[in-house]
Coordinates of all heavy atoms in Angstrom, one line a residue:
P1 N 0.8 -1.2 0.0 CA 0.0 0.0 0.0 C 0.8 1.3 0.0 O 1.8 1.4 0.8 CB -0.8 -0.1 1.3 CG -0.9 -1.6 1.5 CD 0.4 -2.2 1.0
Q2 N 0.5 2.2 -0.9 CA 1.1 3.5 -1.0 C 2.6 3.4 -1.3 O 3.4 4.3 -0.9 CB 0.9 4.4 0.2 CG -0.6 4.9 0.3 CD -1.5 3.9 1.0 OE1 -1.1 3.4 2.0 NE2 -2.6 3.6 0.4
E3 N 3.0 2.3 -2.0 CA 4.5 2.2 -2.4 C 4.6 2.6 -3.8 O 4.1 2.0 -4.7 CB 5.0 0.8 -2.2 CG 6.4 0.6 -2.6 CD 7.3 1.7 -1.9 OE1 7.5 1.6 -0.7 OE2 7.8 2.6 -2.6
F4 N 5.2 3.8 -4.0 CA 5.3 4.4 -5.4 C 6.6 4.2 -6.0 O 6.8 4.7 -7.2 CB 4.9 5.9 -5.3 CG 3.5 6.1 -4.7 CD1 3.4 6.7 -3.4 CD2 2.4 5.7 -5.3 CE1 2.2 6.9 -2.8 CE2 1.1 5.9 -4.8 CZ 1.0 6.5 -3.5
R5 N 7.6 3.7 -5.3 CA 8.9 3.5 -5.9 C 8.9 2.3 -6.9 O 8.0 1.5 -7.0 CB 9.9 3.2 -4.8 CG 10.2 4.4 -3.9 CD 11.1 4.1 -2.7 NE 10.4 3.2 -1.7 CZ 10.9 2.8 -0.6 NH1 12.2 3.0 -0.3 NH2 10.2 2.0 0.2
V6 N 10.0 2.2 -7.6 CA 10.1 1.1 -8.6 C 11.6 0.6 -8.5 O 12.5 1.3 -8.2 CB 9.8 1.6 -10.0 CG1 10.7 2.7 -10.5 CG2 9.8 0.4 -11.0
G7 N 11.7 -0.7 -8.7 CA 13.0 -1.4 -8.5 C 14.1 -1.0 -9.5 O 15.3 -1.1 -9.3
L8 N 13.7 -0.7 -10.8 CA 14.6 -0.4 -11.8 C 14.2 1.0 -12.4 O 13.1 1.2 -12.8 CB 14.6 -1.4 -13.0 CG 15.2 -2.8 -12.7 CD1 15.0 -3.6 -14.0 CD2 16.7 -2.6 -12.5
T9 N 15.2 1.9 -12.6 CA 15.0 3.1 -13.3 C 15.2 2.8 -14.8 O 15.9 1.8 -15.2 CB 16.0 4.2 -12.9 OG1 17.3 3.7 -13.2 CG2 15.9 4.5 -11.4
P10 N 14.7 3.7 -15.7 CA 15.1 3.5 -17.1 C 16.6 3.5 -17.4 O 17.0 2.7 -18.2 CB 14.4 4.7 -17.7 CG 13.2 5.0 -16.8 CD 13.8 4.8 -15.5
N11 N 17.3 4.3 -16.6 CA 18.8 4.2 -16.8 C 19.4 2.9 -16.4 O 20.3 2.4 -17.1 CB 19.5 5.3 -15.9 CG 19.3 6.7 -16.5 OD1 19.0 6.8 -17.7 ND2 19.6 7.7 -15.7
A12 N 18.9 2.3 -15.3 CA 19.4 0.9 -15.0 C 19.0 -0.1 -16.0 O 19.7 -1.0 -16.3 CB 18.8 0.6 -13.6
A13 N 17.7 0.0 -16.5 CA 17.3 -0.9 -17.6 C 18.2 -0.8 -18.8 O 18.6 -1.8 -19.4 CB 15.8 -0.6 -17.9
Q14 N 18.5 0.5 -19.2 CA 19.4 0.7 -20.4 C 20.7 0.1 -20.2 O 21.3 -0.5 -21.1 CB 19.5 2.2 -20.6 CG 20.3 2.5 -21.9 CD 20.2 4.0 -22.2 OE1 19.5 4.8 -21.6 NE2 21.0 4.4 -23.2
E15 N 21.3 0.2 -19.0 CA 22.6 -0.4 -18.7 C 22.6 -1.9 -18.8 O 23.5 -2.5 -19.3 CB 23.1 0.0 -17.3 CG 23.5 1.5 -17.1 CD 24.8 1.8 -17.8 OE1 25.6 0.9 -18.0 OE2 25.0 3.0 -18.2
A16 N 21.5 -2.5 -18.2 CA 21.4 -3.9 -18.3 C 21.3 -4.4 -19.7 O 21.9 -5.5 -20.1 CB 20.2 -4.4 -17.5
V17 N 20.5 -3.7 -20.5 CA 20.3 -4.1 -21.9 C 21.7 -4.0 -22.7 O 22.0 -4.8 -23.5 CB 19.2 -3.2 -22.6 CG1 19.2 -3.4 -24.1 CG2 17.9 -3.6 -22.0
A18 N 22.4 -2.9 -22.3 CA 23.7 -2.7 -23.0 C 24.7 -3.8 -22.6 O 25.6 -4.1 -23.4 CB 24.3 -1.4 -22.5
H19 N 24.5 -4.5 -21.4 CA 25.3 -5.6 -21.0 C 24.8 -6.9 -21.6 O 25.4 -8.0 -21.3 CB 25.3 -5.7 -19.5 CG 26.2 -4.7 -18.8 ND1 27.2 -5.1 -17.9 CD2 26.4 -3.4 -18.9 CE1 27.9 -4.0 -17.5 NE2 27.4 -3.0 -18.1
G20 N 23.8 -6.9 -22.5 CA 23.3 -8.0 -23.1 C 22.2 -8.8 -22.5 O 21.9 -9.9 -22.9
H21 N 21.6 -8.2 -21.5 CA 20.5 -8.9 -20.7 C 19.2 -8.4 -21.2 O 19.0 -7.4 -21.8 CB 20.6 -8.6 -19.2 CG 22.0 -8.9 -18.7 ND1 22.5 -10.2 -18.6 CD2 23.0 -8.1 -18.2 CE1 23.7 -10.2 -18.1 NE2 24.0 -9.0 -17.9
G22 N 18.1 -9.3 -21.0 CA 16.8 -8.9 -21.3 C 16.1 -8.3 -20.1 O 16.3 -8.8 -18.9
V23 N 15.3 -7.2 -20.2 CA 14.7 -6.6 -19.1 C 13.2 -6.5 -19.4 O 12.8 -6.1 -20.5 CB 15.2 -5.1 -18.9 CG1 14.5 -4.4 -17.8 CG2 16.7 -5.2 -18.6
M24 N 12.4 -7.0 -18.4 CA 11.0 -6.9 -18.5 C 10.4 -6.0 -17.4 O 10.8 -6.1 -16.2 CB 10.3 -8.3 -18.3 CG 10.6 -9.2 -19.4 SD 10.1 -10.9 -18.9 CE 11.3 -11.3 -17.7

């Protein structure tokens, strides 16, 4: 309840993709 944060930022997702990983 009332948790508005998220575990991955778009920047973190971009870094993971650049390392060759899939991000959902």
Side-chain angles (χ1 to χ4, degrees):
Q2 290 82 51
E3 180 51 72
F4 304 109
R5 291 172 290 179
V6 61
L8 284 178
T9 64
N11 283 344
Q14 184 173 353
E15 288 288 334
V17 170
H19 281 234
H21 307 293
V23 177
M24 291 169 290

